Amino acid sequence: MSAAAAARMAPPPAASLAVSDVNGKRELRLAGRLDAYSIAGVWPDARAALDAAPNVAVLIETSRVEYCDGGGIAMLVDLLRQPRGPETQVSVIGLRPQFRTLLDQFDPAALRAPPEEHAERLHTVAEIGRAALIVGRDMHMQIAFIGETGAALWFAITHPHRIRWKDVWYTCEQVGVNALPIVALISFLLGIILAFQSAVPMRQFGAEIFVADLVGLSILRELGPLMTAILLAGRSGAAFAAEIGTMKVNEELNALTTMGLDPVRFLVVTRIIAALLMMPLLCIFADLIGILGGALTMISFNIPIGAFLHEVDSLVDVKDLLAGLAKAPVFAILIAGIGCLRGLQTQTGASAVGISATRAVVSGIILLVVVDGIYAFVYYLLDI
């Protein structure tokens, strides 16, 4: 075998690094192949040699580099971008023209890590002012959203043919039909708990039959609508916020605006209409299941189902049912509106959608409880 053939069959030389200090400068001499496989052996050593001489200039001598791909260029850029003083800069010499062309495509200074910013500590008054400013901006956005949504709903009422009814029925399925199992479970357990907790003390006075009155009134007037609304806030409100938030992160809302479509009319109105249609039906369903749970519980206290229902019918009338159903439209608007608003407020980042969903649930439940308290106070004043 000739010497030329032997040279062709010999394995390519791996990357090598030699470090020396000459004339007050540190010189890093690279040789061989600088590719994605060979640089792993010299890159850490080169960084260590660079860090060990922070006060002198560093020359990277590359005249003996026979091959350099993207991996080798990445190593050179990493060495060049290390922050150093003006008299201790890193420079590359001897690099072949074809490799220099690759290296010159990058600006090492632009790739340097930004300095860590220390959070400015504010005084108490400044912190209070910042919190008040955030609350004020949020309230301003809520008021603007209410006005915009109100205008969009009025447009939908006056132009029903412009409503995207296919999306409304699909959302009705998600909000209403798919929520029936969890609403039934919670309402049934709520009726059982109420019956058990009230029947035990009433049995001391032989008044177990009046448990029917307590269960009927509390379920129809208060707990049925409120628990259903809380379930929808945690289920559908979070889903609305996550869906619209994901669309905003993916810039789909910007695409809708570019195509001349109003995101509020296109996305928010359909969800509010679906919630308005489904919330009263879910409330009636929750009322029936809750009363059924209480009736089944009272069988263990020797109260037949027929006697339980007769007692409920003797005390509870249509006024109590309507008092609970009157809350359903307001609850529906709150749940859908808050969920959509938090979705539209979604910021950028990996956790932005999760934050929006959490804010939708928390603010929705708080508003539901506040509005329910207002209803209770108004009913008391009106003697309803």
Side-chain angles (χ1 to χ4, degrees):
M1 182 182 298
S2 63
R8 287 195 300 267
M9 295 182 61
S16 62
L17 172 68
V19 182
S20 61
D21 294 322
V22 180
N23 298 327
K25 296 182 179 180
R26 172 152 291 191
E27 184 175 315
L28 308 182
R29 293 186 299 276
L30 293 171
R33 293 176 59 89
L34 299 182
D35 55 28
Y37 302 98
S38 61
I39 60 174
V42 298
W43 195 336
D45 296 337
R47 281 289 300 271
L50 198 68
D51 296 338
N55 300 321
V56 297
V58 177
L59 297 177
I60 303 177
E61 206 282 322
T62 57
S63 60
R64 298 181 59 189
V65 173
E66 301 177 1
Y67 176 81
C68 183
D69 63 4
I73 296 298
M75 183 185 70
L76 294 177
V77 171
D78 179 63
L79 296 177
L80 290 171
R81 74 184 184 99
Q82 299 305 312
R84 301 174 69 87
E87 303 296 331
T88 60
Q89 291 295 317
V90 181
S91 57
V92 177
I93 60 175
L95 192 62
R96 295 183 182 181
Q98 62 269 32
F99 305 146
R100 171 64 69 174
T101 302
L102 293 175
L103 181 61
D104 290 342
Q105 295 179 6
F106 301 94
D107 182 8
L111 299 176
R112 289 173 182 168
E116 296 184 1
E117 296 183 359
H118 298 284
E120 182 182 359
R121 301 191 62 179
L122 301 178
H123 297 291
T124 303
V125 177
E127 289 286 355
I128 295 174
R130 174 178 291 182
L133 180 62
I134 293 174
V135 173
R137 288 176 178 173
D138 189 63
M139 292 181 63
H140 178 269
M141 294 185 66
Q142 291 182 22
I143 294 173
F145 176 78
I146 291 172
E148 191 174 359
T149 304
L153 287 174
W154 178 252
F155 179 84
I157 293 172
T158 55
H159 302 80
H161 61 282
R162 301 290 297 273
I163 300 175
R164 305 173 66 247
W165 290 107
K166 185 176 180 180
D167 290 348
V168 171
W169 303 135
Y170 174 77
T171 308
C172 285
E173 180 183 359
Q174 300 298 317
V175 173
V177 179
N178 294 347
L180 288 177
I182 185 64
V183 171
L185 175 63
I186 298 301
S187 301
F188 185 76
L189 293 177
L190 194 61
I192 291 176
I193 294 170
L194 278 175
F196 265 121
Q197 293 296 325
S198 56
V200 171
M202 286 188 177
R203 185 167 56 179
Q204 301 176 7
F205 306 98
E208 296 97 324
I209 189 62
F210 295 109
V211 172
D213 302 334
L214 186 149
V215 172
L217 285 175
S218 59
I219 291 291
L220 290 179
R221 294 179 63 95
E222 190 68 33
L223 294 179
L226 182 60
M227 292 305 299
T228 303
I230 290 175
L231 286 175
L232 288 186
R235 186 180 180 277
S236 302
F240 292 165
E243 291 171 2
I244 298 178
T246 303
M247 295 178 68
K248 185 173 182 181
V249 171
N250 294 336
E251 297 187 355
E252 296 177 31
L253 298 184
N254 295 335
L256 289 177
T257 305
T258 303
M259 291 186 293
L261 299 174
D262 185 4
V264 174
R265 292 183 182 178
F266 194 79
L267 300 173
V268 178
V269 171
T270 56
R271 286 166 170 79
I272 291 180
I273 293 176
L276 283 171
L277 294 176
M278 291 295 104
M279 186 66 188
L281 300 179
L282 288 174
C283 286
I284 296 174
F285 178 74
D287 294 341
L288 295 176
I289 297 298
I291 293 175
L292 176 62
L296 294 178
T297 303
M298 294 310 296
I299 295 177
S300 61
F301 292 89
N302 298 322
I303 302 296
I305 294 180
F308 183 94
L309 296 178
H310 182 270
E311 180 65 23
V312 171
D313 182 63
S314 65
L315 181 68
V316 177
D317 54 15
V318 178
K319 180 183 70 174
D320 298 312
L321 176 62
L322 294 180
L325 291 180
K327 304 175 183 179
V330 179
F331 287 170
I333 293 175
L334 284 176
I335 293 168
I338 289 296
C340 295
L341 173 62
R342 298 311 182 193
L344 293 173
Q345 290 178 335
T346 303
Q347 304 295 323
T348 58
S351 61
V353 175
I355 293 174
S356 296
T358 302
R359 294 181 64 196
V361 174
V362 173
S363 55
I365 291 177
I366 291 174
L367 286 177
L368 288 175
V369 175
V370 171
V371 170
D372 188 69
I374 295 174
Y375 266 103
F377 181 70
V378 172
Y379 287 168
Y380 172 76
L381 294 179
L382 299 178
D383 195 20
I384 298 178

